[in-house]
Structures are given as C-alpha cells and as structure tokens.
Amino acid sequence: MDLIGTLKRYFGYEEFRPLQEEIIRDALEGRDVFALLPTGGGKSLCFQLPALVRPGLAVVVSPLIALMKDQVDALRAGGVAATFLNSSLAPPESRARLRGLHNGEYRLLYVAPERLMLSGFLEDLQKWNAHLLAIDEAHCISEWGHDFRPEYRQLASLRELFPLAPMMALTATATERVRADIVRLLKLREPRCYVASFNRRNLSYRVTAKSSPYEQTLVFVRARSHDSGIVYCQSRKTAESVAQRLTADGVKAAPYHAGMESSDRGRNQELFLRDEVRVICATIAFGMGINKPNVRFVIHYDLPKNIEGYYQETGRAGRDSLPSECLLLFSAGDVVKQTQFIEEKTDAQEQRIARQQLQQMVHYAEIPTCRRGARCSNTSARRFRKPTAAAATTACRRARTTTARSPRKNFCRVFIASVKRVASTSA
C-alpha cells in the first residue's frame, strides 16, 4: 500500500511525522489504537489518510465545531470528499449532507458526540459501511481529564454496534490515569498504544511574578511588534478588557469567548488567522483545532486550572517549529481565586480532582528546576531527557531564572497560606 504516495498527493508532505505511519498501518490492519501525540504533532492525519485508501466511510467523533469546519474545508480544497454534522448547520443543509451519506458520496465524516448518539443516527451509520471510528479529544471521556464531557461516556456503545471496525482514540494530553480510563471506557481491544515525545524544543517556558498584569503584557507584546500571539484570560470580562486596552495602546487585538455571538467569534478568529489582528485575547474557548502555524507567543494572564489545559494552550505556539515563547503570570491571588471556585463545587469527587489539579499547576509554577522536564514528566513523554546543567538549553535557563517570586513579605505569606489551604483540603 503506497501510503507515501497518498501523503504527497493529498497533503503535500514528503514524509510522516514520528509515529504517524505506525498508527495508520495498525488502523488499516484492523487494530484498535490509542495515540497520545503533542499539540501540532499531526493527530488528524492519522485518521484522514486511512479514509483515502479504504472503501467506505471513516467517522471522526469530535466536540470541536471550529475544528470540524476548518478541517473539512481544507480537505475539500484538496479534493477529499469530507463533510461534518453538528448543531451549527441549518436543517436544510443537514438534510442535504445526510442524503449524500446515504448515497455514498463521502469518505470522511466528522460528527459531534451528541449528534452521533441521536435516535436513529447509529442505525444509519451501520448502513454507511463505517470502516474506522476515530475518537478525537478522547480525554473528554475521563472525569480525571481536564475537559470531561458526560456525552463522551455514551460512546462506549460503539464497540458493540461496530465490532469489526477498528477504533482509534486520540488526544494531545492525558495522564496515566486518564489513558487507562480511555482504553477501559471505550472498550478498546488490546490496543496498540503510542506516546510521542512532548519535548517541544522550539518553545521556551517562563513564569513571572504577576504584579501589574496588563502593563507586563503590553511590554511583552510591544517587544515583539511583528509577532502574532494569544493571551489567555480566566474570565470573559478580562478578555474583553485586555483586548480593548491593547487596541487603545496601538496593538491590533480582538477578544474571543463563549459569551460572544458566534458570528463575532468567527470574524475575530478569521482576522487572527489572516494576521489582520495580531493578538487574540481569549478564554479557553479559543484555539482547539485552530491551524495557525505562526503563533509566536502564548501568554497566560491568569493561572490555568490544570497542567493539562496549560499544555494544550501553550502548544498552540510555534506549530511551524520556529522559536516561540510561553509566559505565565503567576500570583498567590490567582491560587486563592481558584481555591474559592473549587469550594463552590457541590460534588465532593469534582472538588477532590480539581484540588489535585490545582496543586500540580502550583507546583509547576514554583518549581526551581527545568520546567520543560516537569511538563514532559507529567505527560510521561518517552523521549525526553532532562538536560544537564552544562548542556541546558536557552529555554531551560530562562525557566530557572524567572521563577515567580516576590520580595514583598505579604505576597509570600499569602502564597504560603493559599498553598497550605489547597494541600490541607485535598488530604
């Protein structure tokens, strides 16, 4: 089977990225596969290429509406018969696509999990000769993951309904516990498991004490006057405010969050993709599946809730393999806020998980050694070797010398108290 020829013809690449070919060949041979690949590591190709070399329909389950549209548009532009079904489609358009599926016009179908599990849809899917089931963002099935979605639990029924179709579970972030949940809950059969290296050598990681966050952000952005970047904020209000202030200070910026009209979000996203807006100020609603290779920096204006989400968000920088920067503004006040949010949860299990995740995030921010090593060890990247002091990369040296510390005694007292509070409540 000429996989390289198909790769060149439809995707324009001369060779596969690490592990892609092995994953594809296993799927084509009918094996279940679990794949943990870094953001920008080429997950999508692992299910797109098999759709082109086997008759029938490859089905991709994804919660990301923006990703579906972007990938289907790109595939169709390259001559691939692909489509998607989700809540963004008007009823007439949805019916037209369903007719096309009944007529065998498509090779690749992206579908949202809630649409997949609608009454009658699975029966239709059985008629469409599905030869591959790919579960993207598979970490959503685990309550220990950073983005648990209850509707993913229903996907367990796919194994019984499609016993002959290989199943592929893909994610860019999953701890050992989450990986075990994915394999168990999706009922993967003796899956081949692939874990790629998470050592993105072109990214530098820095944590700086948060004092005047907007001024710190403005100085950072102005020093990179020709670069595009993302500023992640905890709240919609902050995202709006930072975007407005940057624009007033001469930086082309726009907000993006779930509270905006979908047309406004889409417009701002397109402006950013076309480099007409240099900085997007966003909540975590932005970025998943967005293919913009030249993001040169990612700033976390506020403390992320967990290390997995932080990894995915920083992973949107430098997807073209050029040097890029990841800056986290860290303060004890953010830890206190996160702790308060956790205490407002009514489910004891959710509280326990959230506290453990926050502890990991605080540990990462305060660690005095190489943050690249801490991040990679969290995802158990097989190929990472922690550099020696003599051979430390520039990125590692920066990480050591910019650890978030404040000379003010009151800051230290607040921080220590907040960390103790997190630790004691999770005991």
Side-chain angles (χ1 to χ4, degrees):
M1 190 174 294
D2 185 15
L3 297 184
I4 293 294
T6 305
L7 182 69
K8 290 179 181 178
R9 178 182 175 186
Y10 288 99
F11 302 99
Y13 299 126
E14 297 292 326
E15 60 183 15
F16 288 103
R17 293 183 182 179
L19 301 183
Q20 283 181 326
E21 184 173 6
E22 294 94 323
I23 292 168
I24 290 168
R25 289 194 181 278
D26 275 344
L28 290 173
E29 290 172 6
R31 298 189 182 97
D32 286 353
V33 174
F34 169 83
L36 176 58
L37 303 178
T39 301
K43 287 190 291 112
S44 301
L45 187 74
C46 295
F47 50 75
Q48 290 172 349
L49 195 145
L52 302 175
V53 297
R54 278 282 172 84
L57 184 71
V59 180
V60 182
V61 182
S62 172
L64 309 176
I65 291 176
L67 175 142
M68 293 186 196
K69 183 179 185 306
D70 287 352
Q71 293 198 2
V72 167
D73 286 350
L75 288 164
R76 291 177 68 87
V80 179
T83 190
F84 66 84
L85 290 171
N86 60 40
S87 59
S88 71
L89 297 175
E93 178 62 25
S94 182
R95 287 193 293 270
R97 298 186 184 203
L98 284 169
R99 282 195 299 271
L101 287 162
H102 280 295
N103 294 332
E105 297 173 8
Y106 299 110
R107 305 289 294 275
L108 189 63
L109 168 66
Y110 288 77
V111 62
E114 57 273 15
R115 179 61 183 265
L116 178 70
M117 304 311 296
L118 284 178
S119 176
F121 192 86
L122 288 173
E123 287 79 359
D124 284 339
L125 189 57
Q126 288 177 303
K127 302 172 186 176
W128 297 338
N129 188 23
H131 66 84
L132 173 65
L133 302 172
I135 313 300
D136 201 12
E137 308 298 329
H139 58 268
C140 295
I141 202 170
S142 172
E143 65 180 348
W144 288 95
H146 71 281
D147 190 22
F148 173 57
R149 298 176 186 240
E151 62 269 23
Y152 257 62
R153 289 289 175 92
Q154 300 176 52
L155 300 179
S157 63
L158 294 175
R159 179 80 288 162
E160 287 76 21
L161 293 171
F162 300 91
L164 301 180
M167 189 175 291
M168 181 184 294
L170 307 106
T171 179
T173 172
T175 61
E176 293 281 1
R177 175 175 282 178
V178 173
R179 292 179 217 175
D181 269 0
I182 292 170
V183 171
R184 176 177 59 85
L185 295 170
L186 287 177
K187 301 179 181 179
L188 300 186
R189 298 171 302 199
E190 299 181 357
R192 295 286 181 90
C193 297
Y194 294 94
V195 180
S197 172
F198 278 67
N199 186 17
R200 298 275 305 280
R201 294 184 181 276
N202 63 312
L203 301 187
S204 67
Y205 300 89
R206 292 193 285 161
V207 179
T208 298
K210 184 177 181 179
S211 52
S212 301
Y214 175 72
E215 287 72 17
Q216 290 172 292
T217 299
L218 180 61
V219 169
F220 185 97
V221 171
R222 279 181 169 171
R224 295 149 183 82
S225 58
H226 299 294
D227 294 340
S228 294
I230 305 171
V231 179
Y232 279 108
C233 306
Q234 182 66 40
S235 69
R236 301 171 182 179
K237 182 179 179 181
T238 303
E240 293 271 2
S241 172
V242 174
Q244 290 173 1
R245 293 181 71 180
L246 286 173
T247 300
D249 284 325
V251 177
K252 291 183 179 180
Y256 187 105
H257 57 74
M260 299 169 62
E261 294 292 334
S262 59
S263 58
D264 294 334
R265 284 200 310 272
R267 183 187 65 250
N268 288 353
Q269 177 178 308
E270 286 298 319
L271 290 171
F272 183 61
L273 292 174
R274 295 198 303 263
D275 292 323
E276 295 178 32
V277 160
R278 192 159 73 85
V279 178
I280 201 88
C281 302
T283 60
I284 59 172
F286 179 78
M288 297 186 77
I290 301 303
N291 185 24
K292 182 175 172 64
N294 65 331
V295 174
R296 292 276 75 84
F297 61 84
V298 170
I299 300 173
H300 279 85
Y301 199 88
D302 301 300
L303 185 69
K305 295 179 181 179
N306 52 66
I307 199 76
E308 295 170 275
Y310 172 74
Y311 169 71
Q312 277 209 328
E313 290 152 17
T314 57
R316 286 159 197 150
R319 297 181 74 163
D320 54 6
S321 300
L322 296 179
S324 303
E325 299 173 88
C326 306
L327 174 66
L328 167 61
L329 302 179
F330 177 63
S331 75
D334 282 349
V335 181
V336 174
K337 286 180 186 177
Q338 293 284 7
T339 304
Q340 290 171 344
F341 291 147
I342 291 170
E343 290 175 349
E344 292 172 2
K345 294 179 181 291
T346 56
D347 186 276
Q349 174 74 343
E350 287 185 15
Q351 280 194 354
R352 185 165 67 90
I353 293 171
R355 288 186 186 115
Q356 289 186 9
Q357 292 174 335
L358 178 57
Q359 279 184 283
Q360 289 178 336
M361 194 66 235
V362 171
H363 172 73
Y364 170 85
E366 275 295 296
I367 193 169
T369 55
C370 175
R371 289 197 176 85
R372 183 182 303 274
R375 185 183 55 76
C376 289
S377 63
N378 187 71
T379 51
S380 299
R382 290 177 179 173
R383 295 193 179 102
F384 175 76
R385 288 190 178 90
K386 187 174 177 179
T388 62
T393 63
T394 301
C396 288
R397 287 198 295 271
R398 285 177 180 166
R400 291 193 192 98
T401 57
T402 55
T403 303
R405 290 190 175 89
S406 169
R408 294 174 295 179
K409 292 181 179 179
N410 61 332
F411 178 96
C412 295
R413 281 198 296 267
V414 172
F415 173 75
I416 292 169
S418 62
V419 173
K420 285 182 177 178
R421 186 181 185 186
V422 174
S424 62
T425 53
S426 62

